[in-house]
């Protein structure tokens, strides 16, 4: 049950973070550089994968070494 709560909380916080003003501004700037919607979507997906990879790596290291991030 605790794991499920942690996953749901993490996903909810991630969604809230994704809609922060700085993220919207950055994605808008990236998308405006690419008038082709497919290219703009590719840039957005690459940016999202980069964010996710970083979180998984740092989270995995934290779990591996039992380091608690306050």
């Amino acid at each position: 049950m605790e794991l499920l709560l942690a996953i749901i909380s993490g996903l909810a916080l991630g969604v809230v973070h994704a809609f922060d003003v700085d993220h919207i501004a950055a994605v808008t700037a990236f998308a405006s550089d690419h008038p082709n919607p497919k290219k703009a979507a590719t840039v957005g997906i690459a940016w999202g994968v980069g964010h996710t990879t970083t979180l998984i790596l740092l989270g995995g290291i934290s779990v591996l070494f039992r380091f608690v991030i306050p």
Side-chain angles (χ1 to χ4, degrees), residues 2-67:
E2 287 181 23
L3 179 61
L4 182 61
L5 180 60
I7 291 171
I8 291 171
S9 297
L11 287 172
L13 289 172
V15 169
V16 169
H17 176 69
F19 286 99
D20 282 343
V21 174
D22 62 330
H23 276 81
I24 300 298
V27 171
T28 301
F30 290 145
S32 67
D33 287 343
H34 304 287
N36 180 345
K38 285 185 181 180
K39 243 184 184 185
T42 302
V43 170
I45 290 168
W47 196 45
V49 168
H51 268 65
T52 303
T53 302
T54 302
L55 288 172
I56 289 172
L57 286 174
L58 294 178
I61 290 169
S62 174
V63 169
L64 182 66
F65 292 109
R66 297 178 189 221
F67 178 72

